[in-house]
Amino acid sequence: MSFSDYFCSETWRESEMHRRFKDLLLPKTPQELENLAQQARQLTWQNFGKTMRLFAPLYLSNECVNACEYCGFSRDNESIVRVTLSPEQVETEARYLVNEGFRSLLLVAGEHPKFVSQSYLRECLDRLHTFVPSLSLEIGPMETADYLPLVKAGAEGLVVYQETYDREIYAELHTAGPKKDFDWRLNCAERAYEAGFKRLGIGALFGLADWRVEALALAAHVDYLLKHCWKSFLTVSLPRLRPAAGEFAPLTRLDDRDLTQLICALRLAFPQVGLVLSTREPQRLRDGLIPLGITHMSAGSHTEPGGYTGAGKEKVHHTVRGKAMPVIASEGEHKPATEQFAIADARSPKEVAQRLQEMGYDPVWKDWDQRLN
Ligand code: SF4
């Protein structure tokens, strides 16, 4: 039974895990929350030590055939500046990030079969895997057979967020493109597992549906994948909506206290799952959440293609009903591609690593090598 069948059957609501996780999400007094935090801290140290894996997103393309109301790259945002980096330009960006210390990169792209094709991705991976030990992908969902060559070319992780586990809200927010198919996306992690990805990343985008309802469904997904895709390491992300082109206003709120409780709840329910915190969150909050369960952090991120080195700026354009249109910029000036969302923690990778060390943590730049395979 696939996760989408299990999720439809609603039997997951009768499980012991569901009952326990629901209790962890109930409103807590300050003392109760402090108790949860202490247990979460202890479990994180037991399972991961005082370490933090650092990674950087590398955006390949901001072209997209989907209409997702909350995303700056949505195909309906015709005014944004778009570009797809050539494999050479992707290498330029990757070499910059390696020079910054990173050995783990997440290659991110909008869903566009023409610009971000399987062969394009393979070429990027071929160029990068000789000098970047850990490469993961955050791209449009594919069939298992289409993932196989990407795994062979060196991709070891696949990240796909369901965005929202509420079918009705999902249908309202995804109005065009292949992403409209809720179940196709929901079963993506299983297809990736069959193809041999060693790391699977899932998550929900908080700000679309009630956070507790969303978190319960996300926990059911984690529980299912731990049982059915147990050979892969699983990570969970809890991104909150950030300002982006299109200016979509969050429909619901997950405040800092609730986010803290959710991180503690996930750590208590799933002690060995990786928890990811991105630069969407501000410095002070990120530092405060480090001991409570976070195991993976991005640093110094750019969310636009070419954001690290300016690569690709000569090819930028608008995409209007599928056609490339020139960008009007002042003479001699190249407009950069539009970012997916604004980041909140602008510290450099070095500053983040330094802060981790001050807090007694080891920043881990590399934890995987192909030769260990
Ligand atoms: S969320 Fe992903 S699929 Fe949707 S518009 Fe943005 S890049 Fe495209």
Side-chain angles (χ1 to χ4, degrees), residues 59 61-77 82 108-112 138-141 163 173-174 176 179 185 205 340:
Y59 278 70
S61 171
N62 59 358
E63 299 281 359
C64 195
V65 294
N66 291 310
C68 307
E69 301 236 344
Y70 47 82
C71 178
F73 294 171
S74 178
R75 76 181 198 189
D76 295 338
N77 286 335
R82 301 192 191 253
V108 187
E111 184 165 0
H112 202 299
E138 188 177 340
I139 53 174
E163 320 293 15
L173 296 176
H174 302 97
K179 195 168 172 180
R185 193 167 188 87
L205 181 58
Q340 189 177 28

Tab-separated table of all heavy atoms in Angstrom, residues 59 61-77 82 108-112 138-141 163 173-174 176 179 185 205 340, ligand 1:
chain	number	residue	atom	x	y	z
A	59	TYR	N	20.614	27.140	-6.804
A	59	TYR	CA	19.470	27.219	-7.727
A	59	TYR	C	19.964	27.131	-9.178
A	59	TYR	O	20.833	27.897	-9.597
A	59	TYR	CB	18.701	28.527	-7.506
A	59	TYR	CG	17.727	28.430	-6.343
A	59	TYR	CD1	18.179	28.344	-5.030
A	59	TYR	CD2	16.348	28.398	-6.563
A	59	TYR	CE1	17.295	28.221	-3.974
A	59	TYR	CE2	15.453	28.287	-5.512
A	59	TYR	CZ	15.931	28.197	-4.215
A	59	TYR	OH	15.046	28.081	-3.168
A	61	SER	N	17.614	26.874	-11.929
A	61	SER	CA	16.646	27.525	-12.830
A	61	SER	C	15.457	28.017	-12.036
A	61	SER	O	15.032	27.353	-11.076
A	61	SER	CB	16.170	26.504	-13.873
A	61	SER	OG	15.094	27.040	-14.623
A	62	ASN	N	14.904	29.176	-12.449
A	62	ASN	CA	13.646	29.606	-11.826
A	62	ASN	C	12.507	29.606	-12.848
A	62	ASN	O	11.507	30.289	-12.666
A	62	ASN	CB	13.789	30.956	-11.105
A	62	ASN	CG	14.223	32.077	-12.017
A	62	ASN	OD1	14.466	31.855	-13.207
A	62	ASN	ND2	14.326	33.276	-11.479
A	63	GLU	N	12.674	28.830	-13.932
A	63	GLU	CA	11.554	28.601	-14.858
A	63	GLU	C	10.637	27.568	-14.214
A	63	GLU	O	11.113	26.619	-13.581
A	63	GLU	CB	12.061	28.030	-16.188
A	63	GLU	CG	13.013	28.910	-16.956
A	63	GLU	CD	12.302	30.017	-17.725
A	63	GLU	OE1	11.052	30.101	-17.688
A	63	GLU	OE2	13.022	30.807	-18.373
A	64	CYS	N	9.339	27.715	-14.411
A	64	CYS	CA	8.433	26.714	-13.845
A	64	CYS	C	7.119	26.679	-14.630
A	64	CYS	O	6.615	27.724	-15.043
A	64	CYS	CB	8.149	27.028	-12.374
A	64	CYS	SG	7.407	25.603	-11.542
A	65	VAL	N	6.610	25.456	-14.830
A	65	VAL	CA	5.341	25.311	-15.563
A	65	VAL	C	4.145	25.245	-14.606
A	65	VAL	O	3.012	25.146	-15.046
A	65	VAL	CB	5.333	24.040	-16.455
A	65	VAL	CG1	6.351	24.160	-17.573
A	65	VAL	CG2	5.590	22.781	-15.630
A	66	ASN	N	4.424	25.280	-13.306
A	66	ASN	CA	3.334	25.177	-12.342
A	66	ASN	C	2.849	26.553	-11.884
A	66	ASN	O	3.620	27.523	-11.889
A	66	ASN	CB	3.794	24.391	-11.106
A	66	ASN	CG	4.025	22.942	-11.431
A	66	ASN	OD1	3.166	22.283	-12.026
A	66	ASN	ND2	5.188	22.425	-11.074
A	67	ALA	N	1.599	26.584	-11.471
A	67	ALA	CA	1.065	27.798	-10.859
A	67	ALA	C	0.796	27.484	-9.384
A	67	ALA	O	-0.197	26.848	-9.057
A	67	ALA	CB	-0.222	28.222	-11.559
A	68	CYS	N	1.747	27.875	-8.543
A	68	CYS	CA	1.589	27.697	-7.091
A	68	CYS	C	1.428	29.111	-6.527
A	68	CYS	O	2.343	29.932	-6.657
A	68	CYS	CB	2.820	27.030	-6.480
A	68	CYS	SG	3.276	25.491	-7.294
A	69	GLU	N	0.290	29.375	-5.942
A	69	GLU	CA	-0.054	30.759	-5.585
A	69	GLU	C	0.935	31.431	-4.656
A	69	GLU	O	1.071	32.639	-4.653
A	69	GLU	CB	-1.428	30.785	-4.927
A	69	GLU	CG	-2.506	30.234	-5.821
A	69	GLU	CD	-3.637	31.208	-6.052
A	69	GLU	OE1	-3.736	32.169	-5.286
A	69	GLU	OE2	-4.391	30.990	-7.016
A	70	TYR	N	1.640	30.634	-3.825
A	70	TYR	CA	2.499	31.200	-2.778
A	70	TYR	C	3.948	31.375	-3.229
A	70	TYR	O	4.776	31.858	-2.473
A	70	TYR	CB	2.479	30.260	-1.554
A	70	TYR	CG	2.693	28.817	-1.978
A	70	TYR	CD1	3.959	28.320	-2.202
A	70	TYR	CD2	1.610	27.978	-2.239
A	70	TYR	CE1	4.147	27.024	-2.654
A	70	TYR	CE2	1.789	26.688	-2.680
A	70	TYR	CZ	3.061	26.217	-2.892
A	70	TYR	OH	3.246	24.956	-3.363
A	71	CYS	N	4.278	30.967	-4.461
A	71	CYS	CA	5.689	30.910	-4.853
A	71	CYS	C	6.058	32.001	-5.855
A	71	CYS	O	5.337	32.228	-6.840
A	71	CYS	CB	6.008	29.535	-5.452
A	71	CYS	SG	7.723	29.417	-6.009
A	72	GLY	N	7.201	32.622	-5.626
A	72	GLY	CA	7.688	33.667	-6.521
A	72	GLY	C	7.948	33.153	-7.933
A	72	GLY	O	7.895	33.919	-8.900
A	73	PHE	N	8.242	31.874	-8.083
A	73	PHE	CA	8.567	31.323	-9.412
A	73	PHE	C	7.333	30.860	-10.185
A	73	PHE	O	7.458	30.361	-11.311
A	73	PHE	CB	9.515	30.117	-9.270
A	73	PHE	CG	10.877	30.429	-8.740
A	73	PHE	CD1	11.756	29.399	-8.396
A	73	PHE	CD2	11.320	31.729	-8.568
A	73	PHE	CE1	13.024	29.666	-7.899
A	73	PHE	CE2	12.578	32.012	-8.061
A	73	PHE	CZ	13.438	30.973	-7.729
A	74	SER	N	6.153	31.005	-9.587
A	74	SER	CA	4.925	30.554	-10.248
A	74	SER	C	4.858	31.082	-11.672
A	74	SER	O	5.208	32.237	-11.943
A	74	SER	CB	3.724	31.067	-9.442
A	74	SER	OG	2.543	30.679	-10.074
A	75	ARG	N	4.378	30.262	-12.600
A	75	ARG	CA	4.363	30.663	-14.014
A	75	ARG	C	3.506	31.907	-14.245
A	75	ARG	O	3.663	32.608	-15.243
A	75	ARG	CB	3.893	29.503	-14.883
A	75	ARG	CG	2.405	29.245	-14.850
A	75	ARG	CD	2.048	28.071	-15.729
A	75	ARG	NE	0.637	28.075	-16.040
A	75	ARG	CZ	0.010	27.085	-16.649
A	75	ARG	NH1	0.681	26.011	-17.021
A	75	ARG	NH2	-1.263	27.150	-16.919
A	76	ASP	N	2.587	32.181	-13.313
A	76	ASP	CA	1.734	33.366	-13.463
A	76	ASP	C	2.465	34.665	-13.119
A	76	ASP	O	1.976	35.748	-13.430
A	76	ASP	CB	0.495	33.235	-12.548
A	76	ASP	CG	-0.394	32.085	-12.979
A	76	ASP	OD1	-0.299	31.688	-14.163
A	76	ASP	OD2	-1.159	31.575	-12.142
A	77	ASN	N	3.609	34.566	-12.448
A	77	ASN	CA	4.373	35.774	-12.119
A	77	ASN	C	5.222	36.169	-13.326
A	77	ASN	O	6.426	35.926	-13.376
A	77	ASN	CB	5.273	35.528	-10.901
A	77	ASN	CG	4.478	35.470	-9.615
A	77	ASN	OD1	3.394	36.041	-9.525
A	77	ASN	ND2	5.001	34.771	-8.629
A	82	ARG	N	13.852	35.676	-15.094
A	82	ARG	CA	14.134	34.232	-15.053
A	82	ARG	C	15.416	33.887	-15.799
A	82	ARG	O	15.816	34.592	-16.730
A	82	ARG	CB	12.970	33.454	-15.682
A	82	ARG	CG	11.644	33.691	-14.973
A	82	ARG	CD	10.593	32.709	-15.428
A	82	ARG	NE	9.278	33.092	-14.960
A	82	ARG	CZ	8.610	32.470	-13.992
A	82	ARG	NH1	9.123	31.438	-13.388
A	82	ARG	NH2	7.406	32.885	-13.626
A	108	VAL	N	18.571	23.004	-6.679
A	108	VAL	CA	17.138	23.338	-6.658
A	108	VAL	C	16.726	23.896	-8.015
A	108	VAL	O	17.449	24.711	-8.604
A	108	VAL	CB	16.845	24.420	-5.578
A	108	VAL	CG1	15.345	24.648	-5.434
A	108	VAL	CG2	17.453	24.043	-4.238
A	109	ALA	N	15.565	23.473	-8.493
A	109	ALA	CA	15.064	24.039	-9.766
A	109	ALA	C	13.556	24.005	-9.764
A	109	ALA	O	12.931	23.124	-9.169
A	109	ALA	CB	15.599	23.230	-10.940
A	110	GLY	N	12.950	24.968	-10.468
A	110	GLY	CA	11.518	24.909	-10.730
A	110	GLY	C	11.252	23.715	-11.639
A	110	GLY	O	12.180	23.095	-12.172
A	111	GLU	N	9.974	23.387	-11.809
A	111	GLU	CA	9.626	22.218	-12.633
A	111	GLU	C	9.418	22.689	-14.078
A	111	GLU	O	8.460	23.426	-14.359
A	111	GLU	CB	8.343	21.579	-12.069
A	111	GLU	CG	7.956	20.314	-12.804
A	111	GLU	CD	6.928	19.491	-12.032
A	111	GLU	OE1	6.513	19.905	-10.937
A	111	GLU	OE2	6.546	18.423	-12.550
A	112	HIS	N	10.324	22.317	-14.945
A	112	HIS	CA	10.191	22.700	-16.351
A	112	HIS	C	10.893	21.660	-17.217
A	112	HIS	O	12.122	21.657	-17.320
A	112	HIS	CB	10.793	24.091	-16.591
A	112	HIS	CG	10.252	24.739	-17.820
A	112	HIS	ND1	10.417	24.183	-19.076
A	112	HIS	CD2	9.510	25.855	-17.997
A	112	HIS	CE1	9.811	24.952	-19.961
A	112	HIS	NE2	9.247	25.970	-19.331
A	138	GLU	N	16.335	19.033	-5.423
A	138	GLU	CA	14.976	19.469	-5.099
A	138	GLU	C	14.377	19.954	-6.417
A	138	GLU	O	14.580	21.109	-6.823
A	138	GLU	CB	14.995	20.580	-4.038
A	138	GLU	CG	13.592	20.912	-3.551
A	138	GLU	CD	13.568	21.957	-2.443
A	138	GLU	OE1	14.619	22.166	-1.778
A	138	GLU	OE2	12.505	22.571	-2.246
A	139	ILE	N	13.699	19.044	-7.099
A	139	ILE	CA	13.225	19.286	-8.466
A	139	ILE	C	11.791	18.742	-8.589
A	139	ILE	O	11.285	18.158	-7.647
A	139	ILE	CB	14.141	18.552	-9.483
A	139	ILE	CG1	14.255	17.072	-9.093
A	139	ILE	CG2	15.518	19.210	-9.558
A	139	ILE	CD1	15.007	16.207	-10.062
A	140	GLY	N	11.173	18.945	-9.752
A	140	GLY	CA	9.826	18.407	-9.948
A	140	GLY	C	9.830	16.884	-9.843
A	140	GLY	O	10.787	16.238	-10.287
A	141	PRO	N	8.779	16.289	-9.240
A	141	PRO	CA	8.726	14.826	-9.093
A	141	PRO	C	8.824	14.089	-10.426
A	141	PRO	O	8.368	14.584	-11.461
A	141	PRO	CB	7.338	14.594	-8.472
A	141	PRO	CG	6.985	15.860	-7.817
A	141	PRO	CD	7.594	16.943	-8.650
A	163	GLU	N	4.085	20.514	0.619
A	163	GLU	CA	3.560	21.890	0.785
A	163	GLU	C	2.391	21.867	1.789
A	163	GLU	O	2.540	22.345	2.882
A	163	GLU	CB	3.118	22.549	-0.535
A	163	GLU	CG	4.015	22.277	-1.738
A	163	GLU	CD	5.400	22.901	-1.642
A	163	GLU	OE1	5.807	23.322	-0.563
A	163	GLU	OE2	6.101	22.924	-2.689
A	173	LEU	N	-4.598	26.010	-4.179
A	173	LEU	CA	-3.333	26.747	-4.342
A	173	LEU	C	-2.505	26.293	-5.535
A	173	LEU	O	-1.580	26.982	-5.945
A	173	LEU	CB	-2.483	26.607	-3.065
A	173	LEU	CG	-3.084	27.213	-1.804
A	173	LEU	CD1	-2.221	26.921	-0.604
A	173	LEU	CD2	-3.248	28.724	-1.975
A	174	HIS	N	-2.828	25.105	-6.073
A	174	HIS	CA	-2.061	24.589	-7.222
A	174	HIS	C	-3.017	24.480	-8.398
A	174	HIS	O	-3.686	23.472	-8.571
A	174	HIS	CB	-1.424	23.240	-6.864
A	174	HIS	CG	-0.515	23.338	-5.674
A	174	HIS	ND1	-0.918	23.016	-4.395
A	174	HIS	CD2	0.758	23.779	-5.568
A	174	HIS	CE1	0.079	23.252	-3.554
A	174	HIS	NE2	1.106	23.711	-4.243
A	176	ALA	N	-2.519	25.047	-11.825
A	176	ALA	CA	-2.129	24.607	-13.176
A	176	ALA	C	-0.780	23.918	-13.125
A	176	ALA	O	0.037	24.193	-12.243
A	176	ALA	CB	-2.060	25.814	-14.108
A	179	LYS	N	1.922	19.776	-10.972
A	179	LYS	CA	1.878	19.747	-9.502
A	179	LYS	C	0.447	19.683	-8.962
A	179	LYS	O	0.237	19.437	-7.775
A	179	LYS	CB	2.613	20.981	-8.949
A	179	LYS	CG	2.953	20.880	-7.477
A	179	LYS	CD	3.918	21.960	-7.065
A	179	LYS	CE	4.139	22.017	-5.583
A	179	LYS	NZ	5.078	23.072	-5.208
A	185	ARG	N	2.544	13.694	-6.126
A	185	ARG	CA	3.568	14.324	-5.277
A	185	ARG	C	3.732	13.547	-3.967
A	185	ARG	O	4.842	13.332	-3.494
A	185	ARG	CB	3.162	15.775	-4.991
A	185	ARG	CG	4.273	16.613	-4.400
A	185	ARG	CD	3.951	18.090	-4.419
A	185	ARG	NE	5.121	18.842	-4.015
A	185	ARG	CZ	6.091	19.244	-4.824
A	185	ARG	NH1	6.040	18.954	-6.106
A	185	ARG	NH2	7.131	19.919	-4.371
A	205	LEU	N	4.923	23.209	4.005
A	205	LEU	CA	5.147	24.655	4.015
A	205	LEU	C	4.128	25.258	4.982
A	205	LEU	O	2.919	25.234	4.715
A	205	LEU	CB	4.951	25.198	2.594
A	205	LEU	CG	5.163	26.686	2.377
A	205	LEU	CD1	6.565	27.133	2.786
A	205	LEU	CD2	4.930	27.034	0.903
A	340	GLN	N	13.539	33.092	-5.093
A	340	GLN	CA	12.286	32.378	-4.801
A	340	GLN	C	11.590	32.991	-3.594
A	340	GLN	O	10.390	33.129	-3.553
A	340	GLN	CB	12.544	30.885	-4.563
A	340	GLN	CG	11.231	30.101	-4.487
A	340	GLN	CD	11.422	28.616	-4.326
A	340	GLN	OE1	12.432	28.171	-3.767
A	340	GLN	NE2	10.488	27.832	-4.820
B	1	SF4	S1	6.763	25.963	-5.579
B	1	SF4	FE1	8.059	24.831	-6.991
B	1	SF4	S2	6.623	24.018	-8.486
B	1	SF4	FE2	5.543	25.686	-7.449
B	1	SF4	S3	5.911	27.505	-8.706
B	1	SF4	FE3	7.510	27.413	-7.124
B	1	SF4	S4	9.211	26.396	-8.128
B	1	SF4	FE4	7.371	25.955	-9.331
